[in-house]
Amino acid sequence: MPVLELRGITKTFPGVKANQDIDLTLEKGEIHALLGENGAGKTTLMNILYGLYKPDKGEILINDQKVDIEGPNDAIARGIGMVHQHFMLVPVMTVTENVMLGNETTKSGVLLDREKVTQRIREISDRYGLEVDPNAYIKDLPVGIQQRVEIIKVLYRQADILILDEPTAVLTPQEVDGLFKIIHSLIDSGKSLIFITHKLKEVLHIANRITVLRLGQVVGSAIPGEVDEQKLAEMMVGREVNLVVEKKVAQPKEAVLKVKDLHVNDERGNPAVNGLNLDVHAGEVVGVAGVQGNGQTELVYALTGLLPLKSGTIHLNGKDIHKATPRQIIEQGVAHVPEDRQKHGLVLSFPLLDNMVLCTYYKPPFAKGVNMQDRVIAENGSMLVKQFDVRTPSIFVAASTLSGGNQQKVIVAREFSRPIKLLIASQPTRGLDVGSIEYIHSRIIEKRDEGTAVLVVSSELDEIIALSDRIAVMYRGKIVDILPAGATKEHLGLLMAGVKPEDIPDSAKKKSAGPVEKVF
Amino acid sequence: MMNTKKNPEIDMRTRIAWGVVLIVVGLLVLFLFAFSTEAGQVTKFGLNEAKGEAITIPDLLLPTQPTNYVLALILIAFGAFQLARGVKSTSTLVAVLAFSFVMAFLVWAARDKSFSLVGMLSSSVVRATPIALAALCGVISERAGVTNIGIEGTMLFAAQVSVIVGTTTHNLWIALLAAILTGAAVASLHAFLVIKFKVDQIISGTAVNILGAGVTSFVSSRFLEKNIDTLNNSGTLPAFAIPLLSKIPVLGPVLFDNTPIVYLTILLVAVLHVVLFYTPWGLRTRAVGEHPKAADTLGVNVYLMRYINVMIGGMFAGLGGAYFTVGSVGRFDEVMTAGKGFIGLAAMIFGKWTPIGAYTSSLIFGFADSLQVKLQILKVGIPPEFLLMAPYIVTMIVLTGVVGKAVAPAADGQPYEK
Ligand SMILES: Nc1ncnc2c1ncn2[C@@H]1O[C@H](COP(=O)(O)OP(=O)(O)OP(=O)(O)O)[C@@H](O)[C@H]1O
Ligand SMILES: [Mg+2]
């Protein structure tokens, strides 16, 4: 008997059929993976189950009982818990406050009983291996820990059915391993789980069953032992997907970006980049590998003018830009695909067409003097949406209504569509489906071949290896070593863990045979 | 794109700027005050009210010139220290600067005279009351994510309604209740417009202000002025001294010998503090103002929370309106709130959106206000026009300079779309 059954769920947004007649069952103790392209309707389906949207049609059964879910309260009462794709935590509140919000425990019915909740959080932490300081403020916690808080929130409400919407998109490989352990301990205690991700390896590794959505419809299901990545990718995208990046040997030319002895403090004033040196040449891709939190974010912020330098120099095409504003840097021909797309990449409330010209709106052809050229801006928007396959009902909808992956495509479209000399891409394919990753990777290589200097920062080692001509390993704010393309994962992994270059055993440096493979 | 740049260079610049400001003010004290006094002059600060407290304490006698020298020296020394090393906390600097300068000024202005310090402090508390109520209205609305700049207009409505109700019913408590309900009603209108119809919150608030000033002025000139005794003469709520507590020297007459609205305000500050930070309601209110979507996903009704909090805020503003009429003069004059609603918003920001902070800041504004009145009486030779500006100048200085990094609730002023 399934614990959960969705029957014929249909949901239409203006201009989009987000879900069409979707059936889905979840067995007790099962990890059910939901796969699908960006905009396929995965989040929408889960939001319906959680009561955030009302379906146009269809019914939900829990333990064979038809239920009406009017809002999150009903879902919570029926034992459904959801960890959202974009976290739902109040940054200025503590872990305890976030956990109890909406379901508070009180002393004598009036005052909040923080101690009791803290106690409960500790119990949950111990039981499932979810270590977290209940008194810490969310804004001080790294994303990996924030995610634990989200899971604790769900468990605190005694959910039996857990929905995890792209939980691994923002995690480091270590954190992903930790999450999988937690998931197993949840399953062991009798919970059931719906797991959404774009990473096919993860799906094959952890799921019991896989359902694939495309354009709002179920296009198939599978059991991990019976399919491989290639097959899953094809089911998702509906065509053959090339999982290997094809590229010629790079033809590097003059240095476009020269960074010397760079020191940068993070936003809280602590040193994050400590004496970093790096050159990026026209026509090459330099990948920055490293465990998250070793100064990569601050390096990119400094290069793009978002954080001031403490000392050191940055030269772009021979020009000193260490005091330049973001706009001046953009005008020098720098494109930036930011790590946090909702914070630094988009104005969420603006329509797509305006988001497409955020860097160029004040210049011809988009403006004549102080006059915005609406027609040109709209044409530009339509063209880019088509070219980059952004799934949207129109260019006039707010960026906030797009699915996470499609928001990312909007940024990439904007940054790639103007003449640039240096491309700085931070986690460029975070949250993207395999088809889009393939597309964006090939566009990055295309830019390289046109003679653009490219700096890619990614916590996905496979992405770094697939794209880079040279790999710079960053550790504690410094580049500890620069390896040629084709370096082994072991070698990179050891450097990232802080092992000194001279201490790396030769066995780890051996080149792996076969083409470089990527993980999705 | 990002404005949270924390720059060590800027840090150093602010430090030096503070040092220079302190020294300049110190020199001002020296040249303006200390040098213009004579050696034998004495300033007397009265510490008792004339009512005859149980325990009287001796008045404070300060030799004018030496006191000014000492205060100037403190300022200059602090400035020099700031240039060389620097203290971290801005509030210490503000406190030193404000205390020394105000003290020096008072000692100078009241030289050879007697000046009732207790009288001034107690009038500060009274004058702070409407500001504080406006600030509390702002705190609770904005904590829930709704900006309400219509407090001024709300207070005017409430002030007028309460005086009319008070005059016609001859019951000031009913008048007070009427004011509170009026405040709630006006705030509900604002809430309805901005929550339901997502009207821009500043525009809606401005509309309330314009409406408030217009309608009450019209009613006043059309009806109240012609029927003073039947419509516009309510009498005022009596002050009552709290037994025992009012006998404490200095503190007694300042805090415990007041009208009900003053007591109620202090009580409300405490209650609101507890509610906001120690109850489920407060937790939800703050969550709705910071990250409404997160609250929504946990089953908190964002719209309902916002409606009710804005309405409660309106009740505070209504009480503040009553202060002007039944709380102090017993009649309504056109635009008698004189910007107190806006100063309340400044107090809210200066108090970092907390009830206690807002009240403390209101006391500062109340002090500036009553200082201005006292100085007019003392005839210090500064034109009264300039003295009248004092509270507003303090507001501007506070808002531009010393607030520092007060952070508004993240979703403040933004309509919530599911
Ligand atoms: N609130 C909304 N208003 C209008 N359209 C919406 C809204 N939410 C989602 N959509 C549309 O519904 C479709 C499905 O979106 P959904 O977020 O479910 O995709 P997804 O499968 O989760 O994609 P991703 O992997 O990129 O997160 C998209 O085309 C999206 O633009
Ligand atoms: Mg999604």
Side-chain angles (χ1 to χ4, degrees):
Chain A
M1 180 185 87
V3 283
L4 172 75
E5 195 175 345
L6 302 179
R7 284 192 195 151
I9 302 286
T10 301
K11 173 78 187 174
T12 314
F13 290 115
V16 200
K17 284 189 175 153
N19 286 165
Q20 291 179 61
D21 209 12
I22 293 187
D23 296 329
L24 188 82
T25 57
L26 179 69
E27 303 292 335
K28 190 168 169 60
E30 183 185 36
I31 303 176
H32 193 143
L34 206 50
L35 272 181
E37 290 176 286
N38 297 123
K42 307 178 292 294
T43 301
T44 304
L45 185 65
M46 292 304 110
N47 281 343
I48 288 171
L49 174 55
Y50 192 64
L52 286 170
Y53 295 145
K54 257 194 100 56
D56 305 335
K57 262 208 326 255
E59 49 193 42
I60 299 171
L61 288 85
I62 291 176
N63 296 323
D64 275 345
Q65 293 266 308
K66 205 178 152 227
V67 293
D68 245 349
I69 299 183
E70 291 287 333
N73 271 334
D74 291 341
I76 293 167
R78 314 232 183 255
I80 301 172
M82 178 158 173
V83 174
H84 300 264
Q85 186 170 1
H86 301 113
F87 291 162
M88 295 295 168
L89 297 167
V90 185
V92 296
M93 290 186 183
T94 64
V95 172
T96 303
E97 289 177 324
N98 269 284
V99 169
M100 68 175 157
L101 176 63
N103 195 352
E104 299 85 355
T105 319
T106 52
K107 289 182 264 211
S108 59
V110 185
L111 298 181
L112 291 171
D113 194 344
R114 289 190 167 86
E115 292 74 39
K116 202 156 177 188
V117 178
T118 305
Q119 193 53 40
R120 275 267 289 150
I121 293 175
R122 293 228 161 88
E123 280 164 30
I124 296 171
S125 298
D126 290 346
R127 172 140 181 231
Y128 300 100
L130 289 155
E131 221 172 290
V132 58
D133 171 11
N135 298 317
Y137 282 89
I138 297 295
K139 62 179 182 336
D140 299 332
L141 298 176
V143 275
I145 311 282
Q146 291 191 8
Q147 184 166 63
R148 282 186 205 163
V149 179
E150 284 283 24
I151 298 175
I152 292 174
K153 261 165 74 176
V154 168
L155 295 173
Y156 178 82
R157 289 166 174 73
Q158 294 172 328
D160 293 317
I161 300 167
L162 280 77
I163 306 164
L164 304 183
D165 193 351
E166 289 195 37
T168 55
V170 292
L171 299 187
T172 64
Q174 289 83 343
E175 288 171 330
V176 171
D177 287 344
L179 176 69
F180 284 177
K181 280 208 194 86
I182 292 162
I183 288 179
H184 284 302
S185 73
L186 290 171
I187 296 298
D188 289 345
S189 67
K191 315 232 180 249
S192 321
L193 221 114
I194 298 179
F195 186 91
I196 300 178
T197 182
H198 289 295
K199 298 180 188 172
L200 304 179
K201 270 199 181 134
E202 284 177 0
V203 172
L204 293 174
H205 175 71
I206 198 161
N208 303 118
R209 209 144 54 95
I210 303 164
T211 295
V212 182
L213 296 187
R214 188 180 342 128
L215 298 172
Q217 284 171 310
V218 177
V219 290
S221 58
I223 309 278
E226 298 166 4
V227 287
D228 58 7
E229 287 176 48
Q230 191 68 42
K231 183 82 192 44
L232 283 177
E234 279 175 37
M235 279 171 83
M236 273 171 69
V237 186
R239 63 177 162 84
E240 208 172 304
V241 178
N242 190 355
L243 293 179
V244 180
V245 181
E246 279 169 22
K247 57 176 188 183
K248 297 189 286 271
V249 177
Q251 309 281 329
K253 300 189 186 64
E254 78 287 354
V256 172
L257 177 72
K258 279 188 168 191
V259 182
K260 273 219 181 62
D261 197 30
L262 184 70
H263 288 260
V264 185
N265 284 352
D266 66 16
E267 281 171 51
R268 287 189 212 115
N270 303 319
V273 178
N274 303 308
L276 180 139
N277 294 297
L278 186 66
D279 288 354
V280 184
H281 296 259
E284 70 164 351
V285 178
V286 173
V288 175
V291 177
Q292 237 169 16
N294 274 287
Q296 298 98 314
T297 308
E298 288 76 13
L299 169 65
V300 170
Y301 283 1
L303 293 178
T304 50
L306 293 173
L307 267 181
L309 317 189
K310 211 166 66 183
S311 63
T313 58
I314 302 175
H315 285 272
L316 188 66
N317 283 322
K319 271 199 203 109
D320 182 8
I321 58 160
H322 85 277
K323 272 206 168 144
T325 61
R327 176 179 278 191
Q328 288 164 342
I329 292 173
I330 287 170
E331 289 186 338
Q332 295 280 316
V334 176
H336 178 204
V337 178
E339 181 182 328
D340 186 337
R341 57 174 167 251
Q342 299 205 332
K343 189 163 151 203
H344 294 140
L346 295 166
V347 182
L348 284 174
S349 57
F350 279 15
L352 290 195
L353 74 170
D354 288 341
N355 270 297
M356 293 288 199
V357 294
L358 283 184
C359 309
T360 41
Y361 66 90
Y362 56 94
K363 285 200 297 214
F366 303 119
K368 272 190 191 150
V370 293
N371 243 335
M372 302 275 281
Q373 299 299 304
D374 291 340
R375 205 174 42 83
V376 185
I377 291 174
E379 276 166 8
N380 174 68
S382 314
M383 186 195 71
L384 291 178
V385 161
K386 208 177 293 149
Q387 203 179 343
F388 284 77
D389 189 27
V390 181
R391 303 282 165 87
T392 172
S394 92
I395 52 170
F396 300 102
V397 301
S400 60
T401 68
L402 259 56
S403 78
N406 281 301
Q407 292 179 356
Q408 183 75 1
K409 289 196 208 167
V410 171
I411 298 171
V412 170
R414 176 183 72 218
E415 298 297 321
F416 279 45
S417 61
R418 57 200 164 88
I420 51 171
K421 301 202 181 80
L422 171 65
L423 167 64
I424 299 173
S426 217
Q427 321 291 356
T429 58
R430 178 176 279 178
L432 292 195
D433 65 52
V434 274
S436 311
I437 293 177
E438 177 195 29
Y439 180 71
I440 285 178
H441 279 179
S442 64
R443 290 303 302 258
I444 289 178
I445 296 302
E446 199 180 298
K447 279 281 165 201
R448 179 199 80 167
D449 292 342
E450 285 169 12
T452 308
V454 182
L455 184 69
V456 174
V457 179
S458 175
S459 51
E460 299 289 333
L461 210 42
D462 300 284
E463 174 163 56
I464 294 278
I465 291 175
L467 286 174
S468 309
D469 301 310
R470 291 192 296 142
I471 303 171
V473 182
M474 199 161 172
Y475 180 71
R476 298 219 170 138
K478 280 198 183 81
I479 302 288
V480 285
D481 205 357
I482 297 188
L483 305 181
T488 65
K489 265 194 184 183
E490 291 85 341
H491 192 171
L492 289 169
L494 288 173
L495 287 171
M496 281 163 61
V499 178
K500 292 213 177 70
E502 55 271 22
D503 298 342
I504 304 274
D506 280 340
S507 61
K509 295 183 187 167
K510 253 191 228 118
K511 227 177 167 172
S512 50
V516 185
E517 198 196 348
K518 301 195 309 170
V519 154
F520 293 96
Chain B
M1 275 208 265
M2 196 169 60
N3 49 17
T4 49
K5 291 199 181 193
K6 203 181 167 215
N7 195 328
E9 253 173 66
I10 292 178
D11 278 358
M12 188 163 93
R13 247 182 276 155
T14 27
R15 187 170 65 88
I16 291 178
W18 264 110
V20 172
V21 167
L22 281 163
I23 291 180
V24 167
V25 173
L27 291 173
L28 275 179
V29 168
L30 208 59
F31 285 102
L32 285 182
F33 306 148
F35 291 169
S36 67
T37 51
E38 284 150 33
Q41 289 180 322
V42 171
T43 309
K44 181 171 155 196
F45 283 132
L47 294 182
N48 302 290
E49 246 183 346
K51 290 184 190 162
E53 287 86 340
I55 319 144
T56 48
I57 53 169
D59 290 337
L60 191 63
L61 288 173
L62 290 172
T64 309
Q65 205 171 36
T67 310
N68 267 319
Y69 278 129
V70 169
L71 289 168
L73 219 65
I74 290 177
L75 282 167
I76 292 169
F78 233 86
F81 180 74
Q82 184 68 12
L83 283 181
R85 299 272 303 284
V87 256
K88 271 259 155 59
S89 102
T90 320
S91 32
T92 318
L93 293 170
V94 176
V96 169
L97 182 70
F99 174 80
S100 307
F101 182 77
V102 171
M103 198 62 191
F105 177 67
L106 282 181
V107 168
W108 168 79
R111 61 193 185 280
D112 280 342
K113 290 176 197 147
S114 169
F115 178 89
S116 168
L117 205 57
V118 164
M120 199 176 77
L121 289 178
S122 107
S123 100
S124 303
V125 170
V126 173
R127 283 164 193 273
T129 296
I131 300 174
L133 287 165
L136 291 183
C137 169
V139 168
I140 192 164
S141 313
E142 299 208 357
R143 280 285 182 172
V146 178
T147 312
N148 187 354
I149 66 159
I151 300 173
E152 181 83 3
T154 313
M155 291 205 300
L156 277 172
F157 273 121
Q160 189 166 59
V161 169
S162 76
V163 85
I164 296 173
V165 170
T167 317
T168 47
T169 63
H170 303 291
N171 186 329
L172 293 177
W173 297 106
I174 295 180
L176 206 57
L177 191 69
I180 292 171
L181 293 180
T182 307
V186 177
S188 310
L189 175 71
H190 176 66
F192 188 65
L193 289 176
V194 303
I195 298 171
K196 174 92 185 175
F197 293 110
K198 307 201 162 53
V199 172
D200 185 282
Q201 308 195 351
I202 301 299
I203 292 179
S204 168
T206 308
V208 169
N209 283 334
I210 294 173
L211 209 65
V215 171
T216 56
S217 295
F218 171 76
V219 170
S220 176
S221 64
R222 188 71 200 275
F223 303 106
L224 299 192
E225 275 171 18
K226 293 177 191 138
N227 305 294
I228 293 184
D229 286 327
T230 50
L231 287 177
N232 197 12
N233 186 6
S234 65
T236 59
L237 289 162
F240 64 91
I242 297 179
L244 283 178
L245 287 179
S246 61
K247 303 287 184 220
I248 305 170
V250 184
L251 226 51
V254 171
L255 285 180
F256 302 111
D257 188 2
N258 276 308
T259 63
I261 296 182
V262 176
Y263 295 133
L264 212 53
T265 305
I266 296 172
L267 188 72
L268 284 173
V269 170
V271 169
L272 189 57
H273 174 78
V274 172
V275 167
L276 264 185
F277 299 109
Y278 298 97
T279 68
W281 176 270
L283 185 69
R284 292 174 182 204
T285 300
R286 288 183 290 132
V288 160
E290 288 286 346
H291 195 333
K293 183 116 212 193
D296 194 11
T297 61
L298 293 173
V300 175
N301 189 334
V302 177
Y303 297 130
L304 189 70
M305 290 302 293
R306 289 191 167 176
Y307 269 118
I308 296 183
N309 279 304
V310 172
M311 218 151 86
I312 294 174
M315 295 181 175
F316 293 156
L319 190 61
Y323 161 88
F324 291 98
T325 50
V326 297
S328 56
V329 293
R331 61 158 202 285
F332 182 86
D333 299 324
E334 286 180 24
V335 288
M336 68 192 304
T337 48
K340 295 293 188 296
F342 292 110
I343 297 181
L345 285 173
M348 166 196 78
I349 297 171
F350 193 31
K352 304 205 154 125
W353 284 266
T354 63
I356 293 177
Y359 189 68
T360 317
S361 331
S362 303
L363 286 177
I364 294 174
F365 292 120
F367 182 80
D369 199 10
S370 71
L371 183 66
Q372 163 261 124
V373 174
K374 271 274 147 58
L375 291 177
Q376 290 195 39
I377 299 168
L378 277 178
K379 299 212 171 52
V380 286
I382 302 173
E385 288 79 6
F386 283 104
L387 291 176
L388 274 172
M389 287 183 210
Y392 309 98
I393 291 174
V394 172
T395 309
M396 276 161 59
I397 293 172
V398 158
L399 281 183
T400 50
V402 292
V403 178
K405 264 186 257 125
V407 190
D412 195 3
Q414 292 166 15
Y416 177 61
E417 315 241 13
K418 272 203 189 248

